[in-house]
Amino acid sequence: MRLLLVEDDNHVAAALSAVLARHGFRVVHARSGEEALRALLPDDEEPFGVILLDLGLPDQDGYEVCGKIRKRTVTPVIMVTARADVRSRIHGLNLGADDYVVKPYDTGELLARIHAVSRRTSTGEDTGSVPAVALSLGPVEIQLPTRRVSIEGEEIQLTRKEFDLLALLAQRPGVVFRREQIISEVWQTSWEGTGRTLEVHVASLRSKLHMPALIETVRGVGYRLVAPAAA
């Protein structure tokens, strides 16, 4: 997989590039926001599978660069930040980042997050694919344009937020979504004070779909959808 590393510290970039190369990544290094945006211009090279974006850039605010990247490509973006507060992380997610790591980070954790976000596309690398309009998860059918959900042909009535929550998890089955990420994407707000609302909606979905095991709780982290086997 081809990976764009946006990092202004050459020593950090060299060390990280060496680690990533040992795990099969072909790294392109950009030292500034401007270099990163230029690297995203169309060419004959294979598209990037993931963008690793350090927010401490010399020429532009990292959050601003994240927003510009998202307007140009759907390639997954992982922010690298020294800011551990929740508000900063949620701000980045609202701008279109797919995940984040906080410095100092464990290399194993970083690799796991890279592989996780790359699963957002069907091939893990084809970032130009068209999003699906229907999702089939065993007996569960989700029609995204019409916002309808059915089980073995029988339509299930969901509220707007219940549908949004289910659709978010179903587009990346098996991938763990953090609670604050779900709140940011579905409720368009911060985590504070909304945690109980998320729990209630998850419980309601499990009940309405008659599939308690469909949405799995990952203790201390969030939730993931476990795709059921077809009947």
Side-chain angles (χ1 to χ4, degrees):
M1 180 193 299
R2 198 161 169 254
L3 181 147
L4 177 60
L5 172 61
V6 189
E7 168 62 64
D8 67 314
D9 189 314
N10 288 331
H11 294 292
V12 171
L16 184 54
S17 295
V19 171
L20 293 170
R22 287 199 298 271
H23 286 82
F25 294 96
R26 292 183 291 112
V27 179
V28 174
H29 177 206
R31 296 165 182 79
S32 66
E34 189 59 35
E35 280 190 34
L37 296 173
R38 284 202 304 267
L40 294 174
L41 293 174
D43 56 24
D44 295 330
E45 292 284 343
E46 173 190 357
F48 291 107
V50 173
I51 299 170
L52 194 58
L53 173 64
D54 191 287
L55 295 181
L57 299 175
D59 61 333
Q60 300 180 47
D61 178 79
Y63 290 114
E64 181 182 351
V65 175
C66 181
K68 290 178 180 178
I69 288 174
R70 184 50 67 233
K71 290 178 181 179
R72 300 185 183 200
T73 178
V74 296
T75 302
V77 175
I78 299 177
M79 300 184 308
V80 180
T81 176
R83 306 173 190 176
D85 62 288
V86 173
R87 289 184 182 277
S88 294
R89 286 176 274 167
I90 290 176
H91 180 51
L93 294 171
N94 283 334
L95 288 171
D98 297 82
D99 205 346
Y100 62 86
V101 289
V102 178
K103 295 178 178 179
Y105 53 80
D106 177 78
T107 303
E109 177 191 3
L110 176 63
L111 289 167
R113 290 184 182 275
I114 290 173
H115 286 299
V117 300
S118 69
R119 296 190 197 109
R120 68 178 293 170
T121 55
S122 59
T123 65
E125 294 186 5
D126 180 11
T127 56
S129 59
V130 177
V133 296
L135 302 172
S136 295
L137 303 163
V140 182
E141 185 83 14
I142 304 172
Q143 297 289 337
L144 298 179
T146 59
R147 301 177 64 83
R148 292 187 175 183
V149 176
S150 60
I151 298 178
E152 296 181 340
E154 181 180 349
E155 188 171 343
I156 306 298
Q157 298 298 323
L158 301 180
T159 67
R160 183 166 62 90
K161 291 303 183 186
E162 287 169 351
F163 180 89
D164 291 343
L165 172 58
L166 179 62
L168 174 67
L169 298 177
Q171 289 182 71
R172 296 168 66 186
V175 174
V176 178
F177 285 78
R178 299 177 314 283
R179 290 183 177 88
E180 60 265 32
Q181 182 180 1
I182 297 172
I183 292 295
S184 176
E185 295 195 28
V186 175
W187 277 267
Q188 298 295 307
T189 186
S190 65
W191 166 251
E192 291 137 2
T194 325
R196 181 58 182 162
T197 299
L198 173 57
E199 293 173 3
V200 169
H201 278 72
V202 169
S204 179
L205 272 176
R206 288 168 173 163
S207 176
K208 287 185 176 182
L209 298 175
H210 306 291
M211 292 181 175
L214 182 67
I215 301 175
E216 179 182 355
T217 301
V218 181
R219 190 174 299 277
V221 182
Y223 299 93
R224 68 178 160 206
L225 187 140
V226 180

